[in-house]
Amino acid sequence: MTLRIAVQMDPIESVNIAGDSSFALMLSAQARGHELFHYDVRTLAYDTNEGAAGKLTCWGAPITVQPVEGAHYMRGEYRLIDLVKDIDVVLMRQDPPFDLGYITATHLLERLEGQTLVVNDPASVRNAPEKVFVLDYARFMPPTFIARRIEDVKRFQAQMVDKGLPGDLVVKPLHGNGGKAIFRVPEDGSNLGALVEMFQNAWVEPFMVQPFLPGVAEGDKRIVLVDGEVAGAINRKPGEGEFRSNLAVGGSAEACTLSSTEEEICAAMGPELKARGLVFVGIDVIGGKWLTEINVTSPTGIVAIDKFNGTDTGARIWDAIEARHAAM
């Protein structure tokens, strides 16, 4: 069955086709004969004049893609698209920040329930931000602290030292992405005051603090789950002079297998991910045992995973999407 798929994502002109997961998913859908449309989340509009259910539209264009650098897409004319009458599946793939704009889009897309399939499920995305949802699995996490006051952070740091853990901390925004604005604080706290001041001025929400894990030097594993099942993993190693391993900030990838603890983590959360309609999820694990994030908004990593493992994760994701659509 041919599906009409509206891809809600950032400007396609600027994607890195060599590693972008959204682009890989578009290529995979197109190879199956599905029809693709591209739209910007800012063009979503909801009209109650169309009856009790209302009508959700976007300003989108038909698009075809190809793996050719500099000529990777061909786009038709933009037009008003009814996300119920004209579309079967909405693929929600724009990058964070997970701000009020993102949250509002999930509320609007949630109104498509039972009519047009949205992946990942918008209500679940809204209720499972990466660094908050992960707290449901705190038994697998390093000691974690969420706060805004410097006095509280200092108390947490002292507790880590008392427990014999490293006194160095990592401070990161609660709703950041791609390794941005992640800082290491030495045990002496010499830059803590300035960092807390910066976070307080830049974000209204609290920030996350964890002990620095030396094991990150050996890599930060990205594990992709599709409908709650492990589809593959890569180990991301920091670049020279860096402690962040995200590929977006210069990390490198290598093939890997899962530790017994990582398998336990995936088994523990898999059924919940499937039940929530979180079809494509990427989790991050350090040192084979420390769960740090559950990425549900716009997970990445499938291109590198398929390169090292000889798999086709895009096809596996579309198998899951097609099965969910058929069951509607």
Side-chain angles (χ1 to χ4, degrees):
M1 176 184 177
T2 298
L3 296 177
R4 300 163 299 172
I5 300 162
V7 185
Q8 176 180 297
M9 63 182 288
D10 299 317
I12 196 167
E13 292 85 351
S14 59
V15 301
N16 172 19
I17 67 170
D20 189 87
S21 293
S22 299
F23 189 77
L25 286 171
M26 294 172 77
L27 284 172
S28 184
Q30 187 174 271
R32 292 175 171 234
H34 298 323
E35 187 178 359
L36 294 173
F37 296 85
H38 175 274
Y39 77 93
D40 187 317
V41 64
R42 293 172 296 183
T43 69
L44 283 176
Y46 186 74
D47 187 354
T48 63
N49 289 320
E50 299 293 329
K55 181 169 75 171
L56 184 61
T57 62
C58 69
W59 190 247
I63 195 166
T64 57
V65 290
Q66 58 183 7
V68 178
E69 190 68 48
H72 57 280
Y73 71 95
M74 290 167 283
R75 185 166 51 203
E77 294 295 322
Y78 279 96
R79 62 179 175 85
L80 192 66
I81 294 175
D82 185 322
L83 289 176
V84 172
K85 294 180 179 178
D86 302 329
I87 297 297
D88 301 302
V89 176
V90 171
L91 192 62
M92 190 167 60
R93 289 290 305 174
Q94 92 268 15
D95 289 336
F98 191 76
D99 55 15
L100 279 175
Y102 212 116
I103 291 170
T104 301
T106 66
H107 281 294
L108 292 175
L109 291 171
E110 191 179 1
R111 295 184 175 275
L112 299 176
E113 185 177 5
Q115 304 172 93
T116 300
L117 178 65
V118 183
V119 177
N120 285 328
D121 179 84
S124 293
V125 167
R126 182 177 67 248
N127 294 331
E130 354 279 1
K131 296 182 185 72
V132 178
F133 181 31
V134 69
L135 299 175
D136 288 357
Y137 302 92
R139 64 191 184 277
F140 298 117
M141 297 178 68
T144 298
F145 193 67
I146 297 174
R148 281 180 64 85
R149 294 196 326 138
I150 188 170
E151 295 84 1
D152 294 330
V153 178
K154 287 180 177 179
R155 187 177 72 254
F156 174 76
Q157 187 176 38
Q159 291 171 346
M160 295 303 97
V161 174
D162 289 344
K163 291 180 179 180
L165 295 171
D168 288 17
L169 301 177
V170 171
V171 181
K172 48 190 171 183
L174 204 58
H175 299 304
N177 71 300
K180 301 182 185 74
I182 297 178
F183 297 93
R184 181 175 176 178
V185 177
E187 187 171 336
D188 65 12
S190 55
N191 61 341
L192 180 59
L195 286 177
V196 168
E197 182 179 315
M198 184 201 72
F199 274 85
Q200 289 174 340
N201 290 333
W203 292 282
V204 296
E205 66 269 14
F207 46 85
M208 176 174 278
V209 183
Q210 293 172 325
F212 174 75
L213 302 173
V216 74
E218 298 305 315
D220 176 2
K221 202 169 291 184
R222 164 56 58 91
I223 306 169
V224 166
L225 296 97
V226 177
D227 237 4
E229 299 290 335
V230 174
I234 52 168
N235 190 45
R236 304 171 299 179
K237 302 192 75 170
E240 186 175 351
E242 262 287 359
F243 71 90
R244 299 174 298 172
S245 57
N246 306 71
L247 302 183
V249 294
S252 60
E254 61 182 14
C256 66
T257 56
L258 299 191
S259 69
S260 59
T261 301
E262 288 165 341
E263 291 176 348
E264 182 184 357
I265 292 170
C266 294
M269 68 174 59
E272 181 67 15
L273 299 178
K274 185 178 178 70
R276 288 181 179 229
L278 296 170
V279 175
F280 177 12
V281 173
I283 70 170
D284 297 336
V285 182
I286 293 176
K289 62 179 181 178
W290 296 117
L291 175 66
T292 58
E293 291 189 17
I294 304 174
N295 298 276
V296 303
T297 50
S298 183
T300 61
I302 66 173
V303 175
I305 286 173
D306 290 344
K307 174 184 174 182
F308 285 111
N309 298 341
T311 49
D312 190 347
T313 308
R316 187 163 175 175
I317 291 169
W318 284 111
D319 285 343
I321 292 173
E322 289 168 4
R324 282 181 175 268
H325 182 267
M328 287 181 65

